[in-house]
């Protein structure tokens, strides 16, 4: 264990790093807050890359018969745009929220396994670098029997088989070279990072809640984190198996998905969508959790129907595993299958509708403050409703046949994932900005960001509905002028650049406000949940004194009582209470034990791409040695992890007494 005081004493061979600041302080940290921040900045970097890829796609499609991108470049751009936004942005930026906020919202000093938390992050980072290194080292060429007889440029040397990697297109016959090996092995590495995180969050929620925080006293965001963790735990092994199979088909000569040799490419679709549809909820449920915190705070009302919102979220997660074949109606599945999955697709709209009605019930009659977080949350509700309604049309099988592989589908899932997930995530970024930085953002720039984003979003994805219904197909890099699709495509492209302008405004606001924004008040939003009982930015130890919870929205009820009509009345002692929280929060009454930093999570991450390169280039002179070096690095790091001392001697405090109240908070069990 460590304390907030400096450590000193006799050195050992496996002595831990002892700096919590500077470069190595970040590299070796096991602090959930620092890891959350690193997740956020890394994911945002990939968001910029994915956004640039989208802009290149839109320039290409802005006019008929355009030659801005070649076919191979277009294939690489749309594949990496989808892969990046899903696996390298929305999932990890949700992990950023989970990491930073989960312990704070349940009253813990860290997650259950701090070093496992760090290893998840570093595996994610090096998995992303490995995937993008395809643009430097990857090779590709024309498919067998295809007409792409060109030498691909570096821009065209990224993975190019679509983010869904349909077989047999992703097999060696139709995706030559190594780029799809980078895709399959890269996703395998990224999936491992998410799988480790999911176990960590589940154990944290069920073992480290503050005294008195029963399950139905947890904030909805914590509930959605838990549901997402279970979805990851059960869905990632499915895609892992499929990725192993496609990797073996490409590199070992197996024939799982080769129809000419008795393989079954439809099997890939079953695997992929059995993972892929729960993945939609993995992406959206965190945003639903954020919105469920923001709407009550800025409406000055409790969340309407809290238990219904919680159980609806769990139902969405459960039912998400039962609708995958609606992605496959055009693949030749039987009519009975189509009917069954059409009905299940209709049914999943029920819990989603419950959430939407409860959010409307929350703001109904409330004293609404239209701050930036609230605007983004309201935007989330509106855009998600549109995306949800267009999604229900997929349950009508004949309509689905017409929509398949058209821009109608592109419009639908962007209304769900961009209008839903990303609007919700931006709402959370603004809401918890004071908690993160100790300063307030510019409200003017925040609202400008929202309205630019809102207009750009609808200009971009609204017209895609009728472009798709008028026959514009996906995944082709040109369309003929005679189709008459040019004008609306130009509108879509203009909208995409307006979205980019919105992102630029956000970056300016974030960068400026973090350094120059006004100092945040202790409780800037008059909030309801536990993290706002802490000083901002959050102290390293989180809670100076372990909190005790007596009700749902405990912090709110400590500040407010109710009059005879049920309206909130601020308690006379509320102001003094906030001052006491701040005073105690900054001056812990006794030394606090925190998780120790460690080099080994970083080294485990370093070894991952070495193994990946070794697998791809195993027929070269350096392939097998690199694979062995990577494996030794990973195994050696785990051994070092296991034998490094559980704690270093402390200069001023040492105790071997376990924390019985919160046995995981000392971080020694990872």
């Amino acid at each position: 264990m460590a304390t907030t005081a400096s450590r000193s004493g006799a050195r050992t061979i496996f002595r831990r790093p002892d700096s919590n600041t500077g470069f190595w302080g970040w590299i070796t940290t096991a602090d959930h807050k620092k890891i959350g921040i690193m997740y956020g900045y890394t994911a945002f970097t990939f968001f910029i890359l994915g956004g640039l890829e989208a802009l290149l796609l839109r320039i290409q499609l802005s006019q008929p018969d355009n030659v801005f991108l070649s076919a191979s470049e277009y294939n690489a751009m749309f594949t990496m745009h989808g892969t990046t936004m899903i696996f390298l942005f929305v999932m990890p930026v949700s992990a950023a929220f989970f990491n930073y906020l989960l312990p704070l919202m349940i009253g813990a000093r860290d997650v259950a396994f701090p070093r496992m938390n760090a290893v998840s992050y570093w595996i994610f980072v090096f998995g992303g670098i490995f995937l993008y290194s395809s643009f430097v080292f990857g090779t590709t060429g024309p498919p067998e029997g295809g007409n792409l007889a060109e030498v691909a440029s570096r821009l065209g040397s990224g993975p190019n088989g679509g983010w869904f990697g349909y077989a047999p297109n992703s097999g060696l016959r139709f995706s030559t070279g190594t780029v799809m090996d980078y895709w399959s092995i890269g996703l395998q590495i990224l999936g491992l990072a998410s799988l480790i995180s999911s176990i960590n969050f589940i154990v944290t929620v069920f073992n480290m809640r503050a005294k008195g925080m029963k399950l139905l006293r947890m904030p909805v965001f914590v509930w959605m984190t838990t549901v997402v963790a279970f979805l990851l735990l059960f869905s990632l092994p499915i895609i892992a198996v499929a990725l192993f199979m496609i990797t073996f088909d490409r590199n070992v000569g197996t024939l799982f998905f080769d129809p000419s040799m008795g393989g079954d490419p439809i099997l890939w679709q079953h695997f992929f969508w059995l993972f892929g549809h729960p993945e939609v909820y993995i992406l959206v449920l965190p945003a639903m959790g954020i919105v469920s915190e923001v709407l009550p705070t800025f409406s000055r009302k409790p969340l309407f129907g809290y238990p219904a919102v919680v159980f609806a979220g769990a139902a969405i997660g459960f039912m998400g595993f039962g609708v995958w074949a609606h992605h496959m109606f055009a693949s030749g599945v039987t009519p009975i299958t189509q009917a069954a999955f059409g009905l299940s697709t209709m049914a999943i709209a029920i819990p989603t509708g419950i959430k939407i009605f409860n959010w409307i019930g929350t703001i109904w009659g409330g004293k609404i403050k239209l701050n930036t977080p609230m605007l983004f949350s309201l935007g989330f509700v509106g855009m998600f409703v549109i995306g949800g309604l267009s999604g229900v049309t997929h349950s009508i099988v004949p309509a689905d046949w017409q929509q398949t592989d058209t821009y109608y589908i592109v419009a639908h899932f962007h209304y769900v994932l961009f209008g839903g997930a990303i609007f919700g995530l931006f709402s959370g970024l603004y809401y918890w900005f004071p908690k993160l930085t100790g300063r307030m953002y510019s409200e003017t720039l925040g609202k400008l960001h929202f309205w630019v984003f809102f207009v750009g979003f609808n200009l971009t994805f609204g017209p895609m509905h009728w472009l798709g219904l008028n026959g514009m197909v996906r995944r082709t890099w040109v369309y003929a002028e005679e189709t008459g699709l040019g004008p609306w495509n130009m509108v879509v492209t203009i909208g995409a650049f307006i979205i980019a302008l919105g992102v630029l405004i956000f970056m300016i606001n974030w960068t400026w406000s973090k350094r120059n924004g006004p100092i945040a008040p202790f409780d800037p939003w008059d909030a309801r949940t536990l993290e706002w009982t802490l000083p901002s930015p959050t102290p390293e130890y989180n809670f100076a004194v372990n909190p005790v919870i007596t009700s749902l929205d405990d912090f709110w009820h400590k500040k407010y009582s109710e009059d005879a009509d049920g309206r909130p009345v601020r308690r006379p002692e509320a102001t003094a209470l906030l001052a006491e929280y701040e005073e105690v929060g900054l001056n812990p009454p006794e030394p606090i034990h925190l998780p120790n930093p460690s080099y080994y999570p970083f080294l485990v991450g370093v070894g991952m791409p070495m193994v990946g390169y070794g697998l791809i280039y195993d027929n070269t002179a350096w392939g097998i040695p690199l694979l062995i070096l990577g494996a030794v690095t990973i195994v050696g790091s785990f051994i070092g992890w296991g034998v490094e001392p559980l704690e270093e001697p402390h200069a001023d405090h040492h105790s071997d007494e376990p924390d019985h109240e919160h046995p995981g908070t000392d971080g020694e069990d990872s």
Side-chain angles (χ1 to χ4, degrees), residues 53-202:
E53 288 157 357
L55 292 179
L56 293 177
L57 293 171
R58 287 317 313 171
I59 293 172
Q60 170 63 21
L61 295 174
S62 61
Q63 54 187 308
D65 300 315
N66 204 350
V67 293
F68 177 73
L69 294 178
S70 68
S72 63
E73 290 169 342
Y74 186 88
N75 288 346
M77 289 300 99
F78 83 72
T79 299
M80 285 305 290
H81 168 70
T83 302
T84 300
M85 289 303 189
I86 291 171
F87 296 101
L88 295 173
F89 172 57
V90 180
M91 285 177 72
V93 84
S94 298
F97 280 97
F98 299 161
N99 269 285
Y100 196 96
L101 292 168
L102 178 61
L104 305 185
M105 296 178 95
I106 63 173
R109 292 211 171 99
D110 209 305
V111 294
F113 307 121
R115 284 179 292 178
M116 293 298 285
N117 202 26
V119 87
S120 300
Y121 170 73
W122 288 115
I123 290 175
F124 151 67
V125 170
F126 285 102
I129 293 172
F130 172 81
L131 193 56
Y132 262 85
S133 70
S134 170
F135 285 104
V136 179
F137 306 120
T139 57
T140 186
E144 182 179 295
N147 57 6
L148 298 179
E150 57 180 284
V151 177
S153 65
R154 278 296 106 199
L155 192 63
S157 296
N160 53 13
W163 82 274
F164 37 81
Y166 276 171
N169 183 55
S170 54
L172 197 55
R173 183 180 300 172
F174 301 110
S175 292
T176 59
T178 58
V179 294
M180 287 306 289
D181 296 313
Y182 279 88
W183 181 83
S184 59
I185 296 173
L187 290 196
Q188 202 72 277
I189 296 173
L190 294 172
L192 179 62
S194 298
L195 197 61
I196 295 170
S197 285
S198 68
I199 296 169
N200 206 351
F201 293 140
I202 290 169

Side-chain angles (χ1 to χ4, degrees), residues 275-300:
F275 152 80
H277 201 85
E279 171 71 10
V280 173
Y281 303 112
I282 289 168
L283 302 175
V284 171
L285 285 174
M288 289 183 170
I290 291 170
V291 168
S292 298
E293 304 301 332
V294 171
L295 292 179
T297 299
F298 289 91
S299 302
R300 296 182 61 77

Side-chain angles (χ1 to χ4, degrees), residues 295 301 304 354-365 381 385:
L295 292 179
K301 285 177 61 185
F304 181 77
I354 289 172
K355 276 181 173 286
I356 291 167
F357 282 116
N358 279 279
W359 290 328
I360 294 172
T362 301
I363 62 176
W364 187 270
V381 174
V385 167

Side-chain angles (χ1 to χ4, degrees), residues 286-609:
M288 289 183 170
I290 291 170
V291 168
S292 298
E293 304 301 332
V294 171
L295 292 179
T297 299
F298 289 91
S299 302
R300 296 182 61 77
K301 285 177 61 185
L303 181 68
F304 181 77
Y306 165 86
V309 175
V310 169
F311 285 110
I316 289 171
F318 179 76
M319 296 172 72
F321 282 99
V323 298
W324 82 90
H326 77 216
H327 295 272
M328 302 168 55
F329 284 161
S331 69
V333 294
T334 65
I336 292 177
T337 302
Q338 294 178 7
F341 281 91
L343 290 172
S344 66
T345 302
M346 293 179 190
I348 202 169
I350 295 172
T352 307
I354 289 172
K355 276 181 173 286
I356 291 167
F357 282 116
N358 279 279
W359 290 328
I360 294 172
T362 301
I363 62 176
W364 187 270
K367 294 181 179 179
I368 297 173
K369 291 183 178 179
L370 291 177
N371 294 65
T372 305
M374 185 65 164
L375 288 175
F376 272 99
S377 282
L378 293 174
F380 163 91
V381 174
M383 299 304 98
F384 186 76
V385 167
I386 295 174
L389 290 175
S390 63
V392 173
T393 65
H394 303 331
S395 65
I396 313 299
V397 177
D400 184 276
W401 287 345
Q402 297 299 314
Q403 297 157 5
T404 296
D405 276 344
T406 72
Y407 262 73
Y408 184 92
I409 302 295
V410 181
H412 156 67
F413 68 69
H414 278 90
Y415 265 87
V416 171
L417 296 182
F418 196 129
I422 294 182
F423 270 66
L425 292 169
F426 273 113
S427 175
L429 285 173
Y430 282 108
Y431 180 60
W432 282 295
F433 182 87
K435 180 54 55 190
L436 190 70
T437 65
R439 294 181 180 272
M440 300 300 291
Y441 60 85
S442 165
E443 195 67 55
T444 303
L445 286 177
K447 290 180 177 177
L448 180 63
H449 170 206
F450 170 76
W451 286 112
V452 169
F453 226 52
F454 187 80
V455 171
F457 170 80
N458 283 289
L459 269 182
T460 303
F461 301 110
M464 286 185 182
H465 287 100
W466 45 91
L467 278 169
L469 294 176
N470 280 288
M472 182 161 180
V473 297
R474 303 167 62 184
R475 306 165 192 143
T476 58
W477 86 107
V478 291
Y479 56 94
E481 187 168 4
E482 294 78 8
T483 60
L485 300 173
W488 278 117
N489 268 296
M490 179 57 78
V491 171
V492 170
T493 300
I494 292 170
F497 277 88
I498 293 175
I499 291 175
L501 176 62
V503 175
L504 181 62
I505 294 170
F506 166 76
M507 293 169 65
I508 293 171
N509 194 2
W510 185 277
T511 306
W512 184 87
S513 300
K514 195 160 68 72
R515 294 178 180 274
N516 305 300
I519 299 297
F522 181 78
D523 181 21
W525 309 127
D526 198 11
R528 313 179 70 87
T529 42
L530 199 55
E531 75 275 17
W532 295 104
T533 64
L534 303 174
S536 300
T538 312
E540 183 185 7
Y541 43 81
N542 293 357
F543 295 91
V545 177
N546 289 325
V548 178
I549 307 303
T550 57
S551 67
L552 176 67
D553 291 338
D554 186 72
F555 182 41
W556 173 267
H557 291 295
K558 282 187 167 63
K559 295 183 292 182
Y560 289 89
S561 60
E562 293 182 351
D563 63 16
D565 298 322
R567 291 174 298 198
V569 178
R570 192 170 177 88
R571 297 180 189 274
E573 67 274 20
T575 302
L577 178 69
L578 297 186
E580 182 183 345
Y581 274 132
E582 187 167 22
E583 174 65 22
V584 174
L586 293 172
N587 301 285
E590 56 187 18
I592 296 171
H593 292 218
L594 298 172
N596 289 109
S598 174
Y599 295 111
Y600 295 112
F602 173 77
L603 292 175
V604 171
V606 169
M608 290 291 169

